[in-house]
Every structure is written in structure tokens, then in C-alpha cells.
Amino acid sequence: MLNRVCMLLLAIALPLPLMTGVEADEVGQDTAHRHHPLQDQLLHEEFYSSWHMPDNPALSCCNSADCYPTEIRYVDGRVYARRREDGKYILIPSQKVERNRDNPDGRNHLCAPPPSASLVDTVYCFALGGAT
């Protein structure tokens, strides 16, 4: 069921205008932050499985295949998060930022499809960590 929801979200997102992003300085550097530490895997899976889009609570943020801890940058007052597949920093739309729920570990978390699955930089959900 979740895969169908994710595919539907991709179909909806494809016609959206292209969002600009900030290229990563060095892809592949410091990749540990983008993977689930073994001790946190269950915690993350529980959080992701019950997480819904802030701007559309009827839709899931997908699952642990689409969601992961990430690094962020602030550029001109906007938040950009590093996509794990290519290291590109993508713009986080303000309506995708979780404001009604704490994240599981105080880190930044991004739910987004891989770049190969969408023609535009798509964000399903984003949780801002406390230690940014």
C-alpha cells in the first residue's frame, strides 16, 4: 500500500515547477549521517511508519526506504537538506516541515524520492533536528 501511495505522490509531483537546489560540495564525504545507525533503526522505522505529510495529513511520508537522517544548510534564510543518493542539497518547502511532532532522535530527517524517480526535486516530509 505504501508503495502505491509513493508512486501516486511522484505522479502528482512531476508537473510541479522545478525547484532549485544547492549542489553538494563533495558527494560521498561524511556519509554516515545519511544512514540509519543500527541502534536507531527500529526507532526510525517506528517514526517513519506513522509520519504523515504536514501539508496533507491524509498522506503518508512513505517509509524507511524514502526517509533518512540528513545534513542541512541555510541559504538566504531557506533550509536545504542533503539528498542521500547524490549528495545534492534540495530546497525544503516550508509546508513540508513538520511542526506538530518531535522527531525520534533530535537529528534532521528527510523523506524524498531518489533523483532517478522524479524529474524535479521532490520532498515528502522534513523534520528539523535540534542539533543543527
Side-chain angles (χ1 to χ4, degrees), residues 72 74 106-108 128-132:
I72 64 165
Y74 289 97
R107 297 168 72 189
N108 305 302
L128 187 62
T132 55

Side-chain angles (χ1 to χ4, degrees), residues 93-109:
S94 62
Q95 70 270 20
K96 295 297 185 179
V97 177
E98 181 61 62
R99 289 173 171 60
N100 298 316
R101 182 177 178 200
D102 290 333
N103 66 36
D105 58 5
R107 297 168 72 189
N108 305 302
H109 289 265

Side-chain angles (χ1 to χ4, degrees), residues 55-120:
D55 60 334
N56 191 349
L59 295 177
S60 170
C61 289
C62 291
N63 56 40
S64 60
D66 298 307
C67 302
Y68 47 89
T70 189
E71 289 182 340
I72 64 165
R73 288 186 180 162
Y74 289 97
V75 178
D76 297 328
R78 295 188 283 181
V79 178
Y80 290 81
R82 183 182 271 200
R83 187 168 48 205
R84 69 177 164 199
E85 291 83 5
D86 61 359
K88 179 181 179 184
Y89 282 82
I90 59 175
L91 176 64
I92 303 299
S94 62
Q95 70 270 20
K96 295 297 185 179
V97 177
E98 181 61 62
R99 289 173 171 60
N100 298 316
R101 182 177 178 200
D102 290 333
N103 66 36
D105 58 5
R107 297 168 72 189
N108 305 302
H109 289 265
L110 174 65
C111 296
S116 61
S118 179
L119 298 175
V120 297

Side-chain angles (χ1 to χ4, degrees), residues 23-31 34 82 84-88:
E23 293 297 327
D25 291 333
E26 296 180 39
V27 175
Q29 292 289 325
D30 191 27
T31 59
R34 291 175 285 168
R82 183 182 271 200
R84 69 177 164 199
E85 291 83 5
D86 61 359
K88 179 181 179 184

